[in-house]
Amino acid sequence: MDKLLRAIVCFCLMVIGTQGFAQSKRTVQGMLLDTESRPISGASVRLISAEDSMGTSSSQAGFYTFEQVKAEKFKIRVSSLGFDAVEREYEFPAGKTELNIPSFVLKVNENMIEEVVVKGVLTVQVKGDTVEYSTKDLKLREGSVAEDALKKLQGVEVDKDGNVTAQGETVTKVRINGKDFFGGDVKTATKNLPANIIEKIQVVDDYGDMANITGNKSGDSEKIINIQIDPKYNKGYMTTLRAGYGTEERYQATAMWMGMTDKTQVSVLGNLNNINAPLFDFNTMGGGARRRSGGGGRGGGMFGGSTGLTDLGSIGLNIRHDFSEKLKVYGSYSYGRDDNTTLTNSLTQYYFETGDQKQSSDSTANNILSSHRFEGNLEWNITDKDYIKLTPQFGFNGSTGNSKSLGQLFAENDVLVNSDDRVEQTSSDVPRFGISGLYNRKLSDKGRNLFMNFNYDNASTTSDYEGILNRLLEDPANAETSMGEIYERTVREMNNKSWNAGASVSYLEPVSQYGKLEIAYDFNKNNYNNKQYQDAFDEDGTGLPNTDERLLNYHYDQDYSFTTHRIGASYAFENDKIKYSLGAAVQPSLLRGNASDDDNHAIIDRTNLNWMPIARFEYKFSRQKNISINYSGSSSEPSINQILPYAVGNTSTNIVYGNPDLNPEFRHSMNLRYRGGDFQKGNTFFAMLNGNLTQDKIVTFNKREVSAENGLLAETHYLNESDPVYSMRSFYHYGKSLKEKTYNLMLMGGVTYNKNISYTSNDLAAIEGVKNIANNYVFMQGLMFRYNPSENLEINPGVRYSYNYTRNTLGTNNNNVSTWTPSLIGSVNITPSTIFGADLSKNFNTGYGPLTNANPFIINTYIEQKMLKGQRGTIRLQAFDLLNEQTNLSRTVQENMMLDRQTNRLGRYFLLTFTFKLQKFSGVAPVEDNHYPGGMRRPRM
């Protein structure tokens, strides 16, 4: 790996050095405008002469610059989607080294433009994998944030916790002007960026930097949102300050400052509250040359939607600076501390051939998490043919946890077997470091291209665990009579280290006017070095020795790696209507290492070979309709515990046996997307169908035996499933706008199917288990309506329905749950400076058994008054969960079990807040009507 990194760095330095001999002092500058004198950003601009061939893109303000120009006479060629191409000749005046070219005015090409503008109807463009919305027609109150704008886009939804889905898929990142903002953190951007400075919002199926640069797409895409700022807001600043206090000792303090110039953007955010409103999602990491995991989120809408009660504080800084059109840097640092307390009631059912076992649990858990996150990006267009990007990342997570739980186990016929009283304490430190980079070289203007990237990520986890199990055995003949007691205290230390390194090379060769050939190689290696030591003691502190029935003491070391090489070739074709790629790849993989404990040593050495097709197809029916089909294949190694050659356990009643002979899983994925509608009439339609088939799926073999001496004894084993395991998911969204977008109707839904396989036995001595196939179906349907005649009135009634059905082949264990959720959300200006709003929703749950009685009716409401000069101040009284019925129900279906869980949420309280907000931009008057500043969430619309 070190040799590879040195080779890439040396190559980049050679390229840089070569360019240093061709410096010149001549500079050419210009600007691009449309026929309405609006700047055109992102257009392709080329300078062509006998001595030069240079290219760049126009900035957000429409400017472009060429430096180090050699020739005195040259041509400027400009092209941009939807506009007629322009080419003109120029010459440097005698003795001049700088030339300012008169502005190019580009005319709209009616045959190419995809934008459809109709009075009262949102402007929408469909561009391949991107759906672009103009925000100028949205009916938003002054002071709204990006989240409020997203709620009004067809096919986009924002839930009460602030999580964003688009066209049925979770949005994992948000970018501003094409660059990560706070590492791509979704809620940080959507809850703080003022809506009035946004020009466009793009929903993108992103395939990574390689696809963005070369146009060749591979693997799975992730859904991201790119927010484009209106160029007129590129100079100025905005600030928001907020303080609030309420009943139940609830408080909130937030602050935001954002300053911008043509070349620099600085954002500072701070947050302190106990109303479950996080500022950052530390699970999100930004882009880079190679994919990293992201998205998700810790929840936390302003209405206390996240699980449990949380005291939190956070602060962050985001900086972007363009040294020139060629050299740009941007990055961020964030810190956060969460103190969360969660109460949980759960009921778990295990399925066996002889009958069901049920386990109930009531628990209280407190977790404190401190997180640091830093990310930097450097982008350098060395020449019009050479591009480099480097992304270093650092992070640190430290956590402590305490929990108490009381559980009861019931065997067949609901006979009580034992009661468990557990106390657990945990702590961990997780530092991490990573760097990724890419280099792209355009070898010719006809499409010949060389692309290289690499990454290295290093992480370690040091953790301590102490658990106490106090088990009370019961007499099956008399549940009121105690039979005996088991006490075990286990102390465990873990030190796990891992690193991941990878690199890829792609070469593109044009073979015809519309076709090109790609040859690609990808290398990836995950390396693990894990140590885990555990010792057990009785109630008096005396050590508990291992026996044949009890395995509590172990000291193991594990060092193994998973390596893949992927070599493939494909042919890609693209014209105005059709785009497709066909090819094949081979991927050998190697799982190698060793593992040892006090008495055993094992060698792990497994190889595998996978062949996979490369297939992607896109067809453009019209300017507004397209369909795409994409196949991808990937392998994943077993987890640490799954390949251990010996047994480990937290208690003597629950033992895990690894399987060092496990093969990696290989997943085939097919994704179909359709985008269309009649945007002139306000109609939109999106549909998605995704299917996955997994070979060598790693499944569990669960043994659970009831013992008169110990109560329930459980063992978990792992094996590869010989039958293919598959899943499917679909989603559709239909939107209709009427009467200049005054009335909006939205119909959405989908069906999900998951096939889960496991093996079970009621005998710990069993060699083979009984196979159970759990077929899980989830159906979702929603109908929403919006009445929005002006910015001063909005009413949103709606209803959602979900149905979750599971059919098991083992026995007659068929279960279903369903939920109806009608809702009504709205706001109205009582006077020009007084606003009233409400958010009402009612859940009707069935099928959750003992938990079914939780059918909360949630009422959130507020009234606010503007004040101060320019109405920059706002005082608001908010009421949250007026009936004090907040709760959370969920169902999890796995191979041989089903878990129903109910957790607490933030309940009723009242909050009085004061907010001050100011915006000042060059050529733009300060905003006077500010109701919902950054960091504050009004009821979802």
Side-chain angles (χ1 to χ4, degrees):
M1 183 61 203
D2 292 337
K3 293 181 179 179
L4 175 63
L5 291 176
R6 287 197 296 267
I8 292 174
V9 172
C10 290
F11 181 79
C12 294
L13 292 176
M14 289 175 60
V15 173
I16 296 170
T18 302
Q19 302 303 320
F21 292 103
Q23 294 184 355
S24 171
K25 297 181 179 180
R26 293 192 180 98
T27 302
V28 175
Q29 295 179 332
M31 185 178 184
L32 306 181
L33 301 172
D34 63 13
T35 54
E36 296 182 13
S37 298
R38 295 175 301 189
I40 299 175
S41 62
S44 174
V45 186
R46 297 192 62 80
L47 185 149
I48 304 169
S49 72
E51 299 172 287
D52 297 289
S53 181
M54 308 172 68
T56 187
S57 297
S58 57
S59 68
Q60 290 294 319
F63 291 104
Y64 64 90
T65 301
F66 292 105
E67 298 176 344
Q68 301 178 7
V69 178
K70 302 175 186 176
E72 294 183 359
K73 296 181 179 180
F74 57 88
K75 295 180 181 180
I76 294 291
R77 181 183 299 163
V78 179
S79 61
S80 181
L81 180 65
F83 296 92
D84 290 331
V86 179
E87 181 176 297
R88 296 174 187 169
E89 293 185 357
Y90 296 93
E91 182 177 357
F92 276 95
K96 298 290 186 179
T97 59
E98 294 185 3
L99 179 61
N100 292 317
I101 296 176
S103 298
F104 281 82
V105 178
L106 305 188
K107 296 181 179 180
V108 172
N109 187 320
E110 300 295 341
N111 296 322
M112 294 178 59
I113 194 69
E114 298 185 17
E115 187 174 21
V116 182
V117 183
V118 178
K119 183 180 179 182
V121 177
L122 181 65
T123 302
V124 181
Q125 297 186 61
V126 177
K127 300 177 180 179
D129 292 322
T130 300
V131 179
E132 183 177 277
Y133 304 85
S134 171
T135 61
K136 63 182 179 180
D137 297 316
L138 297 181
K139 298 174 182 177
L140 294 169
R141 285 191 174 90
E142 292 291 343
S144 296
V145 293
E147 183 180 78
D148 300 307
L150 288 171
K151 294 172 187 176
K152 294 179 179 289
L153 305 183
Q154 297 283 15
V156 179
E157 295 185 81
V158 183
D159 66 16
K160 286 188 177 182
D161 292 343
N163 300 306
V164 182
T165 58
Q167 301 159 24
E169 299 178 74
T170 300
V171 172
T172 59
K173 289 185 178 68
V174 169
R175 294 170 179 160
I176 295 180
N177 290 342
K179 310 299 180 184
D180 289 337
F181 182 73
F182 281 100
D185 200 320
V186 175
K187 298 175 189 177
T188 304
T190 60
K191 290 181 176 292
N192 292 280
L193 191 66
N196 68 297
I197 70 172
I198 299 174
E199 182 181 38
K200 297 177 181 178
I201 296 177
Q202 297 173 327
V203 177
V204 185
D205 296 321
D206 185 68
Y207 289 85
D209 281 325
M210 180 176 173
N212 296 335
I213 294 172
T214 68
N216 272 29
K217 303 167 187 175
S218 61
D220 296 325
S221 66
E222 59 179 340
K223 194 74 71 175
I224 69 169
I225 284 178
N226 180 47
I227 297 174
Q228 293 189 2
I229 305 299
D230 192 323
K232 67 184 178 183
Y233 291 98
N234 279 343
K235 289 185 178 180
Y237 68 88
M238 63 191 77
T239 186
T240 298
L241 301 174
R242 153 167 294 175
Y245 191 78
T247 61
E248 308 297 325
E249 298 185 347
R250 300 296 165 203
Y251 63 87
Q252 180 193 17
T254 64
M256 180 197 75
W257 183 86
M258 179 181 290
M260 290 175 286
T261 68
D262 285 337
K263 294 185 176 182
T264 305
Q265 181 188 93
V266 179
S267 302
V268 182
L269 302 176
N271 185 24
L272 187 69
N273 68 75
N274 63 354
I275 57 174
N276 290 16
L279 185 59
F280 304 110
D281 174 13
F282 288 92
N283 295 318
T284 300
M285 297 296 286
R290 289 170 67 85
R291 288 293 181 84
R292 289 179 170 87
S293 62
R298 295 178 298 166
M302 293 300 291
F303 290 136
S306 64
T307 297
L309 305 178
T310 305
D311 291 354
L312 54 88
S314 51
I315 190 169
L317 171 68
N318 189 88
I319 299 176
R320 175 180 176 179
H321 181 69
D322 297 348
F323 290 94
S324 67
E325 287 295 320
K326 293 185 176 183
L327 182 61
K328 302 175 182 180
V329 296
Y330 55 98
S332 64
Y333 167 77
S334 307
Y335 168 76
R337 183 184 184 276
D338 289 6
D339 186 342
N340 176 268
T341 300
T342 301
L343 310 179
T344 304
N345 300 323
S346 65
L347 177 64
T348 308
Q349 297 185 63
Y350 299 91
Y351 307 131
F352 293 90
E353 189 176 20
T354 57
D356 297 350
Q357 294 177 358
K358 297 180 181 179
Q359 190 168 354
S360 64
S361 176
D362 295 334
S363 66
T364 302
N366 174 255
N367 292 283
I368 300 175
L369 175 65
S370 297
S371 301
H372 299 263
R373 178 184 64 189
F374 167 80
E375 175 184 299
N377 294 272
L378 182 148
E379 296 184 9
W380 187 9
N381 289 281
I382 305 172
T383 70
D384 62 328
K385 295 182 178 180
D386 300 283
Y387 170 77
I388 286 178
K389 179 179 180 180
L390 292 175
T391 305
Q393 295 176 329
F394 305 90
F396 178 84
N397 291 340
S399 66
T400 60
N402 297 275
S403 66
K404 297 181 179 180
S405 64
L406 177 63
Q408 291 183 309
L409 175 73
F410 300 88
E412 296 85 353
N413 302 318
D414 292 335
V415 175
L416 181 62
V417 176
N418 59 255
S419 301
D420 285 350
D421 189 356
R422 293 176 183 263
V423 178
E424 296 177 316
Q425 296 180 343
T426 61
S427 64
S428 67
D429 292 323
V430 186
R432 61 186 185 274
F433 160 77
I435 185 170
S436 64
L438 67 83
Y439 170 73
N440 190 76
R441 170 72 177 182
K442 297 179 181 179
L443 300 175
S444 75
D445 294 334
K446 296 180 180 180
R448 184 177 294 119
N449 193 85
L450 177 66
F451 177 92
M452 299 183 294
N453 66 12
F454 76 94
N455 80 286
Y456 175 79
D457 295 282
N458 191 307
S460 63
T461 302
T462 302
S463 61
D464 299 312
Y465 168 89
E466 180 175 348
I468 296 175
L469 168 67
N470 195 342
R471 170 168 288 185
L472 186 65
L473 303 177
E474 307 290 342
D475 184 353
N478 185 355
E480 302 300 325
T481 303
S482 174
M483 291 182 59
E485 187 177 5
I486 295 176
Y487 179 94
E488 295 171 353
R489 173 172 167 258
T490 54
V491 177
R492 184 167 68 247
E493 296 180 0
M494 291 178 288
N495 187 357
N496 298 333
K497 298 179 180 179
S498 65
W499 58 263
N500 166 259
S504 65
V505 178
S506 171
Y507 175 76
L508 292 175
E509 176 66 32
V511 294
S512 66
Q513 180 181 359
Y514 300 110
K516 55 187 175 181
L517 180 68
E518 179 187 24
I519 301 174
Y521 167 75
D522 184 273
F523 165 82
N524 195 75
K525 183 173 183 177
N526 295 310
N527 191 85
Y528 305 91
N529 188 347
N530 305 300
K531 301 179 185 296
Q532 188 171 150
Y533 302 149
Q534 178 170 290
D535 297 287
F537 308 90
D538 63 16
E539 198 165 2
D540 298 326
T542 304
L544 291 173
N546 286 339
T547 65
D548 292 339
E549 295 80 21
R550 179 179 61 209
L551 182 63
L552 288 173
N553 302 279
Y554 51 81
H555 308 84
Y556 73 72
D557 297 288
Q558 186 180 21
D559 187 356
Y560 77 101
S561 64
F562 181 73
T563 306
T564 61
H565 301 264
R566 175 170 170 162
I567 305 172
S570 63
Y571 172 78
F573 176 91
E574 179 179 359
N575 61 21
D576 293 338
K577 284 286 186 179
I578 298 175
K579 182 188 300 184
Y580 67 83
S581 299
L582 293 174
V586 59
Q587 180 174 287
S589 62
L590 173 65
L591 182 63
R592 172 175 291 175
N594 60 79
S596 61
D597 64 2
D598 296 330
D599 304 314
N600 304 285
H601 181 268
I603 301 296
I604 303 170
D605 192 356
R606 302 288 295 174
T607 60
N608 209 338
L609 182 68
N610 292 107
W611 290 88
M612 66 198 75
I614 297 173
R616 179 176 175 83
F617 175 81
E618 296 181 28
Y619 183 77
K620 184 177 179 181
F621 298 96
S622 67
R623 294 177 297 174
Q624 305 173 32
K625 300 177 183 178
N626 67 33
I627 188 171
S628 65
I629 303 173
N630 184 53
Y631 164 86
S632 63
S634 61
S635 62
S636 58
E637 74 272 25
S639 68
I640 296 171
N641 290 332
Q642 290 173 338
I643 63 170
L644 285 177
Y646 38 76
V648 296
N650 294 338
T651 68
S652 62
T653 61
N654 191 353
I655 308 297
V656 177
Y657 291 84
N659 179 4
D661 294 329
L662 283 178
N663 287 322
E665 298 180 347
F666 190 85
R667 188 188 70 166
H668 304 267
S669 180
M670 184 75 73
N671 191 290
L672 183 149
R673 293 187 179 95
Y674 175 81
R675 303 174 180 86
D678 190 341
F679 300 132
Q680 295 97 324
K681 296 181 179 179
N683 300 337
T684 57
F685 182 77
F686 304 103
M688 180 271 295
L689 177 64
N690 176 267
N692 295 294
L693 186 148
T694 305
Q695 295 175 309
D696 288 326
K697 176 73 174 179
I698 298 174
V699 299
T700 57
F701 177 15
N702 296 285
K703 304 179 185 180
R704 294 169 66 90
E705 180 179 300
V706 176
S707 165
E709 294 79 17
N710 299 295
L712 175 69
L713 300 177
E715 291 183 3
T716 301
H717 301 253
Y718 300 98
L719 55 108
N720 289 113
E721 173 57 37
S722 57
D723 293 337
V725 178
Y726 51 88
S727 64
M728 297 185 68
R729 185 168 68 92
S730 65
F731 174 83
Y732 80 94
H733 178 281
Y734 173 75
K736 176 71 174 179
S737 299
L738 301 170
K739 199 177 179 181
E740 299 185 0
K741 209 171 174 55
T742 297
Y743 304 95
N744 296 270
L745 179 69
M746 290 154 285
L747 187 67
M748 75 289 291
V751 177
T752 299
Y753 168 75
N754 292 291
K755 179 182 180 181
N756 298 299
I757 296 179
S758 67
Y759 294 83
T760 62
S761 176
N762 291 116
D763 183 4
L764 295 183
I767 304 300
E768 296 183 358
V770 179
K771 185 175 183 177
N772 178 57
I773 301 176
N775 297 284
N776 176 237
Y777 304 85
V778 180
F779 172 79
M780 187 276 288
Q781 183 63 58
L783 177 63
M784 311 298 291
F785 179 78
R786 179 187 298 125
Y787 176 63
N788 192 191
S790 70
E791 294 83 353
N792 299 322
L793 176 62
E794 183 171 355
I795 301 175
N796 296 263
V799 61
R800 294 180 182 272
Y801 173 74
S802 66
Y803 178 78
N804 190 322
Y805 172 72
T806 302
R807 179 174 59 85
N808 292 273
T809 59
L810 189 61
T812 58
N813 304 302
N814 301 328
N815 299 276
N816 66 80
V817 296
S818 62
T819 301
W820 285 93
T821 307
S823 62
L824 179 62
I825 309 164
S827 61
V828 61
N829 280 64
I830 300 174
T831 71
S833 61
T834 307
I835 302 173
F836 172 79
D839 182 344
L840 294 76
S841 64
K842 172 68 176 178
N843 281 4
F844 297 94
N845 299 297
T846 59
Y848 283 98
L851 307 181
T852 306
N853 58 357
N855 295 310
F857 183 24
I858 309 302
I859 302 176
N860 303 313
T861 186
Y862 70 90
I863 187 167
E864 71 175 27
Q865 179 67 47
K866 297 179 296 182
M867 56 182 56
L868 300 183
K869 182 180 179 180
Q871 298 182 337
R872 297 186 182 121
T874 302
I875 189 168
R876 170 188 275 203
L877 177 63
Q878 308 167 88
F880 298 80
D881 188 20
L882 280 173
L883 302 182
N884 202 30
E885 295 186 358
Q886 277 273 27
T887 189
N888 180 50
L889 282 175
S890 66
R891 166 161 290 187
T892 302
V893 177
Q894 294 182 352
E895 293 85 357
N896 77 316
M897 56 83 70
M898 182 178 65
L899 170 64
D900 289 338
R901 178 181 296 172
Q902 180 179 348
T903 56
N904 66 317
R905 287 194 171 190
L906 188 62
R908 177 174 53 206
Y909 68 95
F910 298 85
L911 188 70
L912 183 66
T913 60
F914 174 74
T915 303
F916 178 81
K917 183 176 181 181
L918 177 66
Q919 293 184 11
K920 186 175 182 180
F921 296 93
S922 298
V924 179
V927 175
E928 298 184 352
D929 191 7
N930 301 290
H931 312 305
Y932 311 103
M936 179 60 189
R937 180 182 185 273
R938 66 180 179 125
R940 56 190 176 91
M941 299 301 176

